[in-house]
Amino acid sequence: MKTPRTELIMGDITTLEVEAIVNAANRSLLGGGGVDGAIHRAAGPALLEECKGLDGCETGQSKITRGYQLKAKYIIHTVGPVWHGGSQNEDKLLASCYRSSLELAREKKIKTIAFPGISTGVYGFPRGLAAVIAVNEAQRFLRDNKFPEKVIFISFDEDNFETYRKLLKE
Ligand code: ADP
């Protein structure tokens, strides 16, 4: 049987043993709250030092760093859009976050990459729509590319887990 190339798990992304985790960063790339803060705390201060040299990142784009004290070798920092009601290209920008992260993973021949729900915390993106975009972009990319071999969606709470579970079953 073919191994599935997507997986859904519940938990804390900073603890995962995968090759790369994705950070829902802000444009400064200098740390913040939510998952960003958790990743910086877990990776240690050397992460901030590397981030200082990256000159920030545009919304919808991604940059890669080492993982430092994390089990993950790499962190891919992507800047999700702030939700303004849906009329400011938020869906396209969110799709671009997933695509640009996956393109970096392909470049580095990363086998496994884990995504949190980009923009679904403080940035206010509706979770159902965000999950549809995440799953669509990942499935399309996997279909067309050998790397990454596997995409993991990590959910921080039960509600979100259920949303992803339904989409991945379809
Ligand atoms: P954004 O500013 O892009 O909205 P947040 O960090 O506020 O980013 O939230 C993004 C998502 O990450 C939310 O769904 C939140 O529940 C989730 N999250 C927060 N901490 C963690 C963590 N340690 N591991 C996995 N997901 C997390």
Side-chain angles (χ1 to χ4, degrees):
M1 208 176 88
K2 251 175 80 183
T3 19
R5 290 180 73 192
T6 53
E7 194 181 325
L8 173 61
I9 54 179
M10 201 157 127
D12 179 351
I13 200 165
T14 63
T15 65
L16 292 188
E17 286 187 52
V18 292
E19 217 174 333
I21 64 167
V22 179
N23 181 18
N26 56 49
R27 286 169 58 192
S28 78
L29 295 186
L30 300 179
V35 73
D36 194 7
I39 288 173
H40 273 268
R41 277 192 299 278
L47 173 60
L48 181 60
E49 289 312 306
E50 183 174 355
C51 285
K52 281 179 185 164
L54 294 179
D55 197 25
C57 184
E58 292 301 319
T59 304
Q61 299 300 306
S62 309
K63 291 192 177 176
I64 190 163
T65 65
R66 290 168 53 197
Y68 298 96
Q69 290 168 36
L70 295 178
K71 289 184 184 124
K73 185 173 177 195
Y74 297 105
I75 304 166
I76 295 175
H77 307 262
T78 193
V79 183
V82 175
W83 180 257
H84 289 290
S87 59
Q88 296 190 26
N89 253 346
E90 292 96 325
D91 52 351
K92 301 238 168 28
L93 288 166
L94 186 64
S96 167
C97 287
Y98 283 91
R99 251 189 339 269
S100 58
S101 298
L102 291 163
E103 280 163 5
L104 285 174
R106 177 178 63 194
E107 235 171 70
K108 297 270 184 201
K109 294 198 161 40
I110 285 167
K111 289 194 178 131
T112 48
I113 178 172
F115 282 96
I118 309 296
S119 285
T120 63
V122 173
Y123 280 7
F125 208 104
R127 287 182 156 201
L129 178 57
V132 169
I133 292 170
V135 169
N136 277 347
E137 287 306 318
Q139 286 180 337
R140 183 176 312 142
F141 199 90
L142 289 172
R143 207 162 43 232
D144 297 340
N145 296 280
K146 205 166 137 237
F147 288 99
E149 290 174 356
K150 185 170 218 169
V151 173
I152 296 168
F153 299 103
I154 179 143
S155 191
F156 210 44
D157 58 62
E158 203 105 15
D159 262 12
N160 216 28
F161 185 88
E162 199 43 36
T163 309
Y164 275 99
R165 199 185 58 78
K166 283 189 189 132
L167 288 169
L168 289 166
K169 220 173 56 182
E170 279 167 7

